[in-house]
Each structure stands twice: as C-alpha cells, then as structure tokens.
Amino acid sequence: MPEQPLSGTAPVDPPFFHEASGTVRFWVLIDGQPMGASISRDILRYRFRPGAQGDDPMEIYAQYADQLEAAVRRRVAQGSIEPVMLREFDLPRG
C-alpha cells in the first residue's frame, strides 16, 4: 500500500536543476497542493550573486529558497497558474 501524505497534503518532489532549460525546478505547497515553479540559472546569479562566475544554481536556490517560495506564493495570489516561472522583478531587492 502506498504511503499517504501527512496532514492531507500532497507529496512534493525535491528541487532539481534541469540542464536543458537552464532552470531550477521546484514545488511549493499551496493549500496542500504542490505548485510547480522554476527560475533560470541566469536570474538566480544576476539577482543573488552578481558578478560571480560558475556558481552552482542549486546552492543559490537552497540559500534563497524561502524568498523564492514567497515569490511563487505572491504570483499565485495574483492569479498565476502552474507552472510559475519566476522573473527577476518577482524577487525582492536586496
């Protein structure tokens, strides 16, 4: 028998880097359902590590996951549907 998710929420796959599209793909639970989202490696570097070369996009994602998830929640609250593709102006200025 398959495992049932806790608290009535759907399981969420771990984030990963999709080489072909150059994006980090991740999921955010919204109202107990996973919402697919992505952000490009270039935007991660430009927004969070300007001037850096060769930074691992998964490392940047992990460091700023809370901000990225909050941006997805804002976009969904504004009516975005899955998959949410985060853009530079979706992220707060640092």
Side-chain angles (χ1 to χ4, degrees):
M1 183 179 239
E3 277 188 45
Q4 295 298 313
L6 300 176
S7 306
T9 60
V12 177
D13 290 330
F16 69 96
F17 183 69
H18 185 256
E19 190 71 41
S21 64
T23 62
V24 173
R25 296 187 179 180
F26 61 102
W27 291 262
V28 177
L29 280 178
I30 298 177
D31 296 329
Q33 296 300 312
M35 175 69 67
S38 65
I39 186 166
S40 78
R41 165 185 40 215
D42 295 336
I43 291 173
L44 283 170
R45 287 179 180 161
Y46 176 76
R47 176 62 189 86
F48 297 111
R49 304 245 176 106
Q53 296 290 321
D55 283 346
D56 178 5
M58 291 305 300
E59 178 185 307
I60 301 169
Y61 167 83
Q63 184 175 355
Y64 295 98
D66 290 345
Q67 289 182 40
L68 298 170
E69 289 179 14
V72 171
R73 292 178 192 285
R74 283 191 301 276
R75 288 278 308 277
V76 169
Q78 295 167 355
S80 289
I81 60 170
E82 187 175 35
V84 175
M85 295 197 248
L86 293 179
R87 300 157 297 188
E88 191 226 338
F89 60 84
D90 293 322
L91 304 171
R93 292 282 173 208

Coordinates of all heavy atoms in Angstrom, one line a residue:
M1 N 0.9 -1.2 0.0 CA 0.0 0.0 0.0 C 0.9 1.2 0.0 O 1.8 1.3 0.8 CB -0.9 0.0 1.3 CG -1.9 1.1 1.3 SD -2.8 0.9 2.8 CE -4.4 0.8 2.1
P2 N 0.6 2.2 -0.9 CA 1.5 3.4 -1.0 C 1.3 4.3 0.3 O 0.3 4.3 0.9 CB 1.0 4.2 -2.2 CG -0.2 3.5 -2.7 CD -0.4 2.2 -1.9
E3 N 2.4 5.0 0.6 CA 2.4 5.9 1.8 C 1.4 7.0 1.5 O 1.4 7.6 0.4 CB 3.8 6.5 2.0 CG 4.6 5.6 2.9 CD 5.9 6.3 3.3 OE1 5.8 7.5 3.7 OE2 6.9 5.7 3.1
Q4 N 0.7 7.4 2.5 CA -0.2 8.5 2.3 C 0.5 9.8 2.9 O 1.2 9.7 3.9 CB -1.5 8.3 3.1 CG -2.4 7.1 2.6 CD -2.8 7.4 1.2 OE1 -3.3 8.5 0.9 NE2 -2.6 6.5 0.3
P5 N 0.3 10.9 2.2 CA 0.9 12.2 2.7 C 0.3 12.5 4.1 O -0.9 12.2 4.4 CB 0.5 13.2 1.7 CG -0.5 12.6 0.8 CD -0.5 11.1 1.0
L6 N 1.1 13.2 4.9 CA 0.6 13.7 6.2 C -0.2 14.9 6.1 O -0.1 15.7 5.2 CB 1.9 14.0 7.1 CG 2.8 12.8 7.3 CD1 4.0 13.3 8.1 CD2 2.1 11.7 8.0
S7 N -1.1 15.0 7.0 CA -2.0 16.2 7.1 C -2.7 16.6 5.8 O -3.0 17.7 5.5 CB -1.1 17.4 7.5 OG -0.4 17.2 8.7
G8 N -3.1 15.6 5.0 CA -3.8 15.9 3.8 C -3.1 16.7 2.7 O -3.7 17.3 1.9
T9 N -1.8 16.7 2.8 CA -1.0 17.4 1.8 C -0.4 16.4 0.8 O -0.1 15.3 1.1 CB 0.1 18.2 2.4 OG1 1.0 17.3 3.0 CG2 -0.4 19.3 3.3
A10 N -0.3 16.9 -0.5 CA 0.3 16.1 -1.5 C 1.8 16.1 -1.3 O 2.4 17.0 -0.8 CB 0.0 16.6 -2.9
P11 N 2.5 15.0 -1.7 CA 4.0 14.9 -1.6 C 4.6 15.9 -2.6 O 4.0 16.2 -3.6 CB 4.3 13.5 -1.9 CG 3.1 13.0 -2.7 CD 1.9 13.7 -2.2
V12 N 5.8 16.4 -2.2 CA 6.5 17.4 -3.1 C 7.8 16.8 -3.4 O 8.6 16.3 -2.5 CB 6.6 18.7 -2.3 CG1 7.4 19.7 -3.2 CG2 5.3 19.3 -2.0
D13 N 8.1 16.7 -4.7 CA 9.4 16.3 -5.2 C 10.5 17.3 -4.8 O 10.2 18.5 -4.7 CB 9.5 16.1 -6.7 CG 8.6 14.9 -7.1 OD1 8.4 13.9 -6.4 OD2 8.1 15.0 -8.2
P14 N 11.7 16.8 -4.6 CA 12.8 17.8 -4.3 C 13.2 18.6 -5.5 O 12.9 18.2 -6.6 CB 14.0 16.8 -3.9 CG 13.7 15.5 -4.5 CD 12.2 15.4 -4.6
P15 N 13.7 19.8 -5.2 CA 14.1 20.7 -6.3 C 15.2 20.1 -7.1 O 16.0 19.3 -6.6 CB 14.5 22.0 -5.7 CG 14.8 21.6 -4.3 CD 14.0 20.4 -3.9
F16 N 15.4 20.4 -8.4 CA 16.5 19.9 -9.2 C 16.8 20.9 -10.3 O 16.0 21.8 -10.6 CB 16.1 18.5 -9.8 CG 15.1 18.6 -10.9 CD1 15.4 18.6 -12.2 CD2 13.7 18.5 -10.5 CE1 14.4 18.7 -13.2 CE2 12.7 18.6 -11.5 CZ 13.1 18.6 -12.8
F17 N 18.0 20.8 -10.8 CA 18.4 21.6 -11.9 C 18.2 20.9 -13.2 O 18.6 19.8 -13.4 CB 19.9 22.0 -11.8 CG 20.4 23.0 -12.9 CD1 19.9 24.3 -12.9 CD2 21.2 22.5 -13.9 CE1 20.3 25.1 -13.9 CE2 21.6 23.4 -14.9 CZ 21.1 24.7 -15.0
H18 N 17.4 21.5 -14.1 CA 17.1 21.0 -15.4 C 18.0 21.6 -16.4 O 17.9 22.7 -16.8 CB 15.6 21.3 -15.7 CG 15.1 20.7 -17.0 ND1 15.0 21.4 -18.2 CD2 14.8 19.4 -17.3 CE1 14.6 20.6 -19.1 NE2 14.4 19.4 -18.6
E19 N 19.0 20.8 -16.8 CA 20.1 21.3 -17.7 C 19.6 21.8 -19.0 O 20.1 22.9 -19.5 CB 21.1 20.2 -17.9 CG 22.4 20.6 -18.5 CD 23.3 21.5 -17.7 OE1 23.5 21.2 -16.5 OE2 23.9 22.5 -18.2
A20 N 18.7 21.1 -19.6 CA 18.3 21.5 -21.0 C 17.6 22.9 -21.0 O 17.8 23.6 -22.0 CB 17.3 20.5 -21.5
S21 N 16.9 23.3 -19.9 CA 16.3 24.6 -19.9 C 17.1 25.6 -19.1 O 16.7 26.8 -19.1 CB 14.9 24.5 -19.3 OG 14.9 24.1 -18.0
G22 N 18.1 25.1 -18.4 CA 18.9 26.1 -17.6 C 18.1 26.6 -16.4 O 18.4 27.7 -16.0
T23 N 17.2 25.8 -15.9 CA 16.3 26.3 -14.8 C 16.4 25.4 -13.6 O 16.6 24.2 -13.7 CB 14.8 26.4 -15.2 OG1 14.3 25.2 -15.5 CG2 14.6 27.4 -16.3
V24 N 16.2 26.0 -12.4 CA 15.9 25.2 -11.2 C 14.4 25.0 -11.2 O 13.7 26.0 -11.2 CB 16.4 25.9 -9.9 CG1 16.0 25.1 -8.7 CG2 17.9 26.0 -9.9
R25 N 14.0 23.8 -11.0 CA 12.6 23.4 -10.9 C 12.3 23.0 -9.5 O 13.0 22.2 -9.0 CB 12.2 22.4 -11.9 CG 12.4 22.9 -13.4 CD 11.9 22.0 -14.4 NE 12.1 22.5 -15.7 CZ 11.7 21.9 -16.8 NH1 11.1 20.8 -16.8 NH2 11.9 22.5 -18.0
F26 N 11.2 23.5 -9.0 CA 10.8 23.2 -7.6 C 9.3 23.3 -7.4 O 8.6 23.8 -8.3 CB 11.6 24.2 -6.6 CG 11.3 25.6 -6.8 CD1 10.4 26.3 -6.0 CD2 11.9 26.4 -7.8 CE1 10.2 27.7 -6.1 CE2 11.7 27.7 -8.0 CZ 10.8 28.4 -7.1
W27 N 8.9 22.9 -6.2 CA 7.4 22.9 -5.9 C 7.2 23.6 -4.6 O 8.0 23.5 -3.7 CB 6.9 21.5 -5.9 CG 6.9 20.8 -7.2 CD1 5.8 20.7 -8.1 CD2 8.0 20.3 -7.9 NE1 6.2 20.1 -9.3 CE2 7.5 19.8 -9.2 CE3 9.3 20.1 -7.6 CZ2 8.4 19.2 -10.2 CZ3 10.2 19.5 -8.6 CH2 9.7 19.1 -9.8
V28 N 6.1 24.3 -4.5 CA 5.7 25.0 -3.3 C 4.3 24.5 -2.9 O 3.4 24.4 -3.8 CB 5.7 26.5 -3.5 CG1 5.2 27.2 -2.3 CG2 7.0 27.0 -4.0
L29 N 4.1 24.1 -1.7 CA 2.8 23.6 -1.3 C 1.9 24.9 -1.0 O 2.2 25.8 -0.3 CB 2.8 22.8 0.0 CG 3.2 21.4 -0.1 CD1 3.3 20.7 1.3 CD2 2.3 20.6 -1.0
I30 N 0.8 24.9 -1.8 CA -0.2 26.0 -1.6 C -1.5 25.3 -1.4 O -2.0 24.6 -2.3 CB -0.2 26.9 -2.8 CG1 1.2 27.6 -3.0 CG2 -1.3 28.0 -2.7 CD1 1.4 28.4 -4.2
D31 N -2.1 25.6 -0.3 CA -3.4 25.0 0.1 C -3.3 23.5 0.0 O -4.2 22.8 -0.4 CB -4.6 25.5 -0.8 CG -4.8 27.0 -0.6 OD1 -4.6 27.5 0.5 OD2 -5.2 27.6 -1.6
G32 N -2.2 22.9 0.5 CA -2.0 21.5 0.5 C -1.7 20.8 -0.8 O -1.5 19.6 -0.9
Q33 N -1.5 21.6 -1.9 CA -1.3 21.1 -3.2 C 0.1 21.6 -3.7 O 0.4 22.8 -3.6 CB -2.4 21.4 -4.2 CG -3.7 20.8 -3.8 CD -3.7 19.3 -3.8 OE1 -3.2 18.7 -4.7 NE2 -4.2 18.7 -2.7
P34 N 0.9 20.7 -4.4 CA 2.2 21.2 -4.9 C 1.9 22.1 -6.2 O 1.2 21.7 -7.1 CB 2.9 19.9 -5.3 CG 1.8 18.9 -5.4 CD 0.7 19.3 -4.6
M35 N 2.6 23.2 -6.2 CA 2.6 24.1 -7.3 C 3.9 24.1 -8.0 O 4.9 24.5 -7.3 CB 2.2 25.5 -6.9 CG 2.2 26.6 -7.9 SD 1.0 26.5 -9.2 CE -0.5 26.8 -8.3
G36 N 4.1 23.7 -9.2 CA 5.3 23.7 -9.9 C 5.8 25.1 -10.2 O 5.0 26.0 -10.6
A37 N 7.1 25.3 -10.1 CA 7.7 26.6 -10.4 C 9.1 26.4 -10.9 O 9.7 25.3 -10.7 CB 7.7 27.5 -9.1
S38 N 9.6 27.5 -11.5 CA 11.0 27.4 -12.0 C 11.6 28.8 -12.0 O 10.9 29.8 -12.0 CB 11.1 26.8 -13.4 OG 10.5 27.6 -14.3
I39 N 13.0 28.8 -12.0 CA 13.7 30.1 -12.1 C 15.0 29.8 -12.8 O 15.6 28.7 -12.6 CB 14.0 30.7 -10.7 CG1 14.6 32.1 -10.9 CG2 14.8 29.8 -9.8 CD1 14.6 32.9 -9.6
S40 N 15.4 30.6 -13.7 CA 16.5 30.4 -14.5 C 17.8 30.6 -13.7 O 17.9 31.4 -12.8 CB 16.6 31.3 -15.8 OG 17.0 32.6 -15.4
R41 N 18.8 29.8 -14.1 CA 20.2 30.0 -13.5 C 20.6 31.4 -13.7 O 21.2 31.9 -12.8 CB 21.1 29.0 -14.3 CG 22.6 29.2 -14.0 CD 23.5 28.4 -14.8 NE 23.0 28.2 -16.2 CZ 23.1 27.0 -16.8 NH1 23.8 26.0 -16.3 NH2 22.7 26.9 -18.1
D42 N 20.4 32.0 -14.8 CA 20.8 33.4 -15.1 C 20.2 34.4 -14.1 O 20.9 35.3 -13.6 CB 20.6 33.8 -16.5 CG 21.4 33.0 -17.5 OD1 22.4 32.4 -17.1 OD2 20.9 32.9 -18.7
I43 N 18.9 34.2 -13.9 CA 18.2 35.1 -12.9 C 18.7 34.9 -11.5 O 19.0 35.9 -10.8 CB 16.7 35.0 -13.0 CG1 16.2 35.5 -14.3 CG2 16.0 35.7 -11.8 CD1 14.8 35.3 -14.6
L44 N 18.9 33.6 -11.1 CA 19.5 33.4 -9.8 C 20.8 34.1 -9.6 O 21.1 34.7 -8.6 CB 19.7 31.9 -9.6 CG 18.4 31.1 -9.2 CD1 18.7 29.6 -9.3 CD2 17.9 31.5 -7.9
R45 N 21.7 33.9 -10.6 CA 23.0 34.6 -10.5 C 22.9 36.1 -10.5 O 23.6 36.8 -9.7 CB 23.9 34.1 -11.6 CG 24.4 32.6 -11.4 CD 25.2 32.2 -12.6 NE 25.7 30.8 -12.4 CZ 26.1 30.1 -13.4 NH1 26.2 30.5 -14.6 NH2 26.5 28.8 -13.1
Y46 N 22.1 36.6 -11.4 CA 22.0 38.1 -11.6 C 21.4 38.7 -10.3 O 21.9 39.7 -9.9 CB 21.1 38.4 -12.8 CG 20.9 39.9 -13.0 CD1 21.8 40.7 -13.5 CD2 19.6 40.4 -12.6 CE1 21.6 42.1 -13.6 CE2 19.4 41.8 -12.7 CZ 20.4 42.6 -13.2 OH 20.1 43.9 -13.4
R47 N 20.4 38.0 -9.8 CA 19.7 38.6 -8.6 C 20.5 38.4 -7.3 O 20.6 39.3 -6.5 CB 18.3 38.0 -8.5 CG 17.5 38.4 -7.3 CD 17.3 39.9 -7.4 NE 16.7 40.3 -6.1 CZ 17.3 40.6 -5.0 NH1 18.6 40.6 -5.0 NH2 16.7 41.0 -4.0
F48 N 21.1 37.2 -7.1 CA 21.7 36.9 -5.8 C 23.2 36.9 -5.8 O 23.8 37.0 -4.7 CB 21.1 35.6 -5.3 CG 19.6 35.6 -5.1 CD1 18.8 34.9 -5.9 CD2 19.1 36.3 -4.0 CE1 17.4 34.9 -5.7 CE2 17.7 36.4 -3.8 CZ 16.9 35.6 -4.6
R49 N 23.8 36.7 -6.9 CA 25.3 36.6 -7.0 C 25.8 37.4 -8.2 O 26.5 36.8 -9.0 CB 25.8 35.2 -7.0 CG 25.2 34.3 -5.9 CD 26.4 33.9 -5.0 NE 25.8 33.1 -3.8 CZ 25.9 31.8 -3.7 NH1 26.5 31.1 -4.6 NH2 25.4 31.2 -2.6
P50 N 25.5 38.7 -8.3 CA 26.0 39.4 -9.4 C 27.5 39.4 -9.5 O 28.2 39.5 -8.5 CB 25.5 40.8 -9.2 CG 25.1 40.9 -7.8 CD 24.8 39.5 -7.3
G51 N 28.0 39.2 -10.7 CA 29.5 39.2 -11.0 C 30.1 37.9 -10.7 O 31.3 37.7 -11.1
A52 N 29.5 36.9 -10.1 CA 30.1 35.6 -9.8 C 30.1 34.8 -11.0 O 29.2 34.9 -11.9 CB 29.3 34.9 -8.7
Q53 N 31.0 33.9 -11.2 CA 31.1 33.0 -12.3 C 31.1 31.6 -11.8 O 31.7 31.3 -10.8 CB 32.5 33.2 -13.0 CG 32.6 34.6 -13.7 CD 31.7 34.7 -14.9 OE1 31.5 33.8 -15.6 NE2 31.1 35.9 -15.0
G54 N 30.3 30.8 -12.5 CA 30.3 29.3 -12.2 C 29.6 28.9 -10.9 O 29.8 27.8 -10.5
D55 N 28.8 29.8 -10.3 CA 28.1 29.3 -9.1 C 27.1 28.2 -9.4 O 26.5 28.3 -10.4 CB 27.4 30.5 -8.4 CG 28.3 31.4 -7.7 OD1 29.5 31.1 -7.4 OD2 27.9 32.5 -7.3
D56 N 27.0 27.3 -8.5 CA 26.0 26.2 -8.6 C 24.6 26.8 -8.4 O 24.3 27.3 -7.3 CB 26.4 25.1 -7.6 CG 25.4 24.0 -7.6 OD1 24.5 23.9 -8.5 OD2 25.5 23.1 -6.8
P57 N 23.7 26.6 -9.4 CA 22.4 27.2 -9.2 C 21.6 26.5 -8.1 O 20.8 27.2 -7.4 CB 21.7 26.9 -10.5 CG 22.6 26.0 -11.3 CD 23.9 26.1 -10.7
M58 N 21.9 25.2 -7.8 CA 21.2 24.6 -6.7 C 21.7 25.1 -5.3 O 20.9 25.2 -4.4 CB 21.4 23.0 -6.7 CG 20.7 22.4 -7.9 SD 18.9 22.7 -8.0 CE 18.4 22.0 -6.4
E59 N 22.9 25.5 -5.2 CA 23.4 26.1 -4.0 C 22.7 27.5 -3.8 O 22.3 27.8 -2.7 CB 24.9 26.3 -4.1 CG 25.5 27.0 -2.9 CD 27.0 27.2 -3.1 OE1 27.7 26.2 -3.5 OE2 27.5 28.4 -2.9
I60 N 22.6 28.3 -4.8 CA 22.0 29.6 -4.7 C 20.5 29.3 -4.4 O 20.0 30.0 -3.5 CB 22.1 30.4 -6.0 CG1 23.6 30.6 -6.4 CG2 21.3 31.7 -5.9 CD1 23.8 31.2 -7.8
Y61 N 19.8 28.4 -5.0 CA 18.4 28.1 -4.7 C 18.3 27.8 -3.2 O 17.4 28.3 -2.6 CB 17.9 26.9 -5.6 CG 16.6 26.4 -5.1 CD1 15.4 27.1 -5.4 CD2 16.5 25.4 -4.2 CE1 14.2 26.7 -4.9 CE2 15.3 25.0 -3.6 CZ 14.2 25.6 -4.0 OH 13.0 25.2 -3.5
A62 N 19.1 26.9 -2.7 CA 19.0 26.4 -1.4 C 19.1 27.6 -0.4 O 18.4 27.7 0.6 CB 20.0 25.3 -1.1
Q63 N 20.0 28.5 -0.7 CA 20.3 29.6 0.2 C 19.1 30.6 0.2 O 18.8 31.2 1.2 CB 21.5 30.4 -0.2 CG 21.9 31.5 0.7 CD 23.2 32.2 0.4 OE1 23.9 31.7 -0.5 NE2 23.5 33.2 1.1
Y64 N 18.4 30.7 -0.9 CA 17.3 31.7 -1.0 C 15.9 31.1 -1.2 O 15.0 31.7 -1.7 CB 17.6 32.7 -2.2 CG 18.9 33.5 -1.9 CD1 20.1 33.1 -2.4 CD2 18.8 34.6 -1.0 CE1 21.2 33.8 -2.1 CE2 20.0 35.3 -0.8 CZ 21.2 34.9 -1.3 OH 22.3 35.7 -1.0
A65 N 15.8 29.8 -0.9 CA 14.5 29.1 -1.1 C 13.3 29.8 -0.5 O 12.3 29.8 -1.1 CB 14.7 27.6 -0.6
D66 N 13.5 30.3 0.7 CA 12.4 31.0 1.4 C 11.9 32.1 0.5 O 10.7 32.3 0.4 CB 12.7 31.4 2.8 CG 12.9 30.3 3.8 OD1 12.5 29.2 3.4 OD2 13.5 30.5 4.8
Q67 N 12.8 32.9 0.0 CA 12.4 34.1 -0.8 C 11.8 33.7 -2.1 O 10.8 34.3 -2.6 CB 13.6 35.0 -1.1 CG 14.1 35.7 0.1 CD 15.3 36.6 -0.3 OE1 15.3 37.2 -1.3 NE2 16.3 36.7 0.6
L68 N 12.3 32.6 -2.7 CA 11.7 32.1 -4.0 C 10.3 31.5 -3.8 O 9.4 31.8 -4.6 CB 12.7 31.0 -4.6 CG 14.1 31.6 -4.9 CD1 15.0 30.5 -5.3 CD2 14.0 32.6 -6.0
E69 N 10.1 30.8 -2.7 CA 8.8 30.2 -2.4 C 7.8 31.3 -2.1 O 6.7 31.3 -2.5 CB 8.9 29.3 -1.2 CG 9.6 28.0 -1.6 CD 9.7 27.0 -0.4 OE1 9.0 27.1 0.6 OE2 10.5 26.0 -0.6
A70 N 8.2 32.4 -1.4 CA 7.4 33.5 -1.1 C 7.0 34.2 -2.4 O 5.8 34.6 -2.6 CB 8.0 34.5 -0.2
A71 N 7.9 34.3 -3.4 CA 7.6 34.9 -4.7 C 6.6 34.1 -5.4 O 5.7 34.6 -6.1 CB 8.9 35.1 -5.5
V72 N 6.7 32.8 -5.4 CA 5.7 31.9 -6.0 C 4.3 32.1 -5.4 O 3.3 32.3 -6.1 CB 6.1 30.4 -5.9 CG1 5.0 29.5 -6.4 CG2 7.4 30.1 -6.7
R73 N 4.3 32.2 -4.0 CA 3.0 32.4 -3.4 C 2.4 33.7 -3.8 O 1.2 33.8 -4.0 CB 3.2 32.3 -1.9 CG 3.5 31.0 -1.3 CD 3.8 31.0 0.2 NE 4.4 29.7 0.6 CZ 3.7 28.5 0.7 NH1 2.5 28.5 0.4 NH2 4.4 27.5 1.0
R74 N 3.2 34.8 -3.9 CA 2.7 36.1 -4.4 C 2.1 36.0 -5.8 O 1.0 36.5 -6.1 CB 3.8 37.2 -4.3 CG 4.1 37.7 -2.9 CD 5.0 38.9 -3.0 NE 6.3 38.7 -3.6 CZ 7.3 38.2 -3.0 NH1 7.3 37.9 -1.7 NH2 8.5 38.0 -3.7
R75 N 2.8 35.3 -6.6 CA 2.4 35.2 -8.0 C 1.1 34.4 -8.1 O 0.2 34.8 -8.8 CB 3.5 34.5 -8.9 CG 4.7 35.3 -9.2 CD 4.5 36.2 -10.4 NE 4.0 35.6 -11.5 CZ 4.8 34.9 -12.4 NH1 6.1 34.9 -12.3 NH2 4.3 34.4 -13.5
V76 N 1.0 33.3 -7.3 CA -0.3 32.5 -7.3 C -1.4 33.4 -6.8 O -2.5 33.4 -7.3 CB -0.1 31.2 -6.6 CG1 -1.4 30.5 -6.3 CG2 0.9 30.3 -7.3
A77 N -1.2 34.1 -5.7 CA -2.2 35.0 -5.2 C -2.7 36.0 -6.2 O -3.8 36.5 -6.1 CB -1.7 35.7 -3.9
Q78 N -1.8 36.4 -7.1 CA -2.2 37.4 -8.2 C -2.8 36.7 -9.4 O -3.1 37.4 -10.4 CB -0.9 38.2 -8.6 CG -0.4 39.0 -7.5 CD 1.0 39.5 -7.8 OE1 1.6 39.2 -8.8 NE2 1.6 40.4 -6.9
G79 N -3.0 35.4 -9.3 CA -3.7 34.7 -10.4 C -2.8 33.8 -11.3 O -3.3 33.3 -12.3
S80 N -1.5 33.7 -11.1 CA -0.7 32.9 -11.9 C -1.1 31.4 -11.8 O -1.5 31.0 -10.7 CB 0.8 33.0 -11.5 OG 1.3 34.3 -11.9
I81 N -0.9 30.7 -12.9 CA -1.2 29.3 -12.8 C 0.1 28.5 -13.0 O 1.1 29.0 -13.5 CB -2.3 28.9 -13.9 CG1 -1.8 29.2 -15.3 CG2 -3.6 29.5 -13.6 CD1 -2.6 28.7 -16.4
E82 N 0.0 27.2 -12.8 CA 1.2 26.3 -12.9 C 1.6 26.1 -14.3 O 0.7 25.9 -15.2 CB 0.9 25.0 -12.2 CG 2.0 24.1 -12.1 CD 1.7 22.8 -11.3 OE1 0.5 22.4 -11.3 OE2 2.5 22.3 -10.6
P83 N 2.8 26.1 -14.6 CA 4.0 26.3 -13.8 C 4.3 27.8 -13.7 O 4.2 28.5 -14.6 CB 5.1 25.6 -14.5 CG 4.8 25.7 -16.0 CD 3.2 25.6 -16.0
V84 N 4.7 28.2 -12.5 CA 5.0 29.6 -12.3 C 6.5 29.8 -12.6 O 7.4 29.1 -12.1 CB 4.8 30.0 -10.8 CG1 5.3 31.4 -10.5 CG2 3.3 29.8 -10.4
M85 N 6.8 30.6 -13.6 CA 8.2 30.9 -13.9 C 8.6 32.3 -13.3 O 8.0 33.3 -13.7 CB 8.3 31.0 -15.5 CG 8.0 29.6 -16.1 SD 8.6 29.5 -17.7 CE 7.2 29.4 -18.7
L86 N 9.4 32.2 -12.3 CA 9.8 33.4 -11.6 C 10.7 34.3 -12.5 O 11.6 33.7 -13.2 CB 10.6 33.1 -10.3 CG 9.7 32.5 -9.3 CD1 10.6 32.2 -8.0 CD2 8.5 33.4 -8.9
R87 N 10.5 35.6 -12.5 CA 11.3 36.5 -13.2 C 12.0 37.4 -12.2 O 11.7 37.4 -11.1 CB 10.4 37.3 -14.2 CG 9.7 36.4 -15.1 CD 8.5 37.0 -15.7 NE 7.5 37.2 -14.6 CZ 6.3 37.6 -14.7 NH1 5.8 37.8 -15.9 NH2 5.5 37.7 -13.6
E88 N 13.0 38.2 -12.7 CA 13.8 39.0 -11.8 C 12.9 39.9 -11.0 O 13.1 40.1 -9.8 CB 14.8 39.8 -12.6 CG 15.8 40.4 -11.7 CD 16.1 41.8 -12.0 OE1 15.9 42.3 -13.1 OE2 16.6 42.5 -11.1
F89 N 11.9 40.6 -11.6 CA 11.1 41.5 -10.9 C 10.2 40.9 -9.9 O 9.5 41.6 -9.1 CB 10.4 42.5 -11.8 CG 9.5 41.9 -12.8 CD1 8.2 41.6 -12.4 CD2 9.9 41.6 -14.1 CE1 7.3 41.1 -13.3 CE2 9.0 41.1 -15.0 CZ 7.7 40.8 -14.6
D90 N 10.0 39.6 -9.9 CA 9.2 38.9 -8.9 C 10.0 38.8 -7.5 O 9.3 38.5 -6.5 CB 8.9 37.4 -9.3 CG 8.0 37.4 -10.5 OD1 7.1 38.2 -10.6 OD2 8.2 36.5 -11.4
L91 N 11.2 39.1 -7.5 CA 12.1 38.9 -6.3 C 12.3 40.2 -5.6 O 12.5 41.3 -6.3 CB 13.4 38.2 -6.7 CG 13.2 36.9 -7.4 CD1 14.5 36.4 -7.9 CD2 12.6 35.9 -6.5
P92 N 12.4 40.2 -4.3 CA 12.6 41.5 -3.6 C 14.1 42.0 -3.8 O 15.0 41.2 -4.1 CB 12.4 41.1 -2.1 CG 12.6 39.6 -2.1 CD 12.2 39.1 -3.4
R93 N 14.2 43.3 -3.8 CA 15.6 43.9 -3.9 C 16.3 43.6 -2.6 O 15.8 43.7 -1.5 CB 15.5 45.4 -4.1 CG 14.9 45.7 -5.5 CD 15.9 45.5 -6.5 NE 15.4 45.7 -7.9 CZ 15.9 45.1 -8.9 NH1 16.9 44.3 -8.8 NH2 15.3 45.3 -10.1
G94 N 17.6 43.3 -2.8 CA 18.4 43.0 -1.6 C 19.3 44.1 -1.1 O 19.5 45.1 -1.5

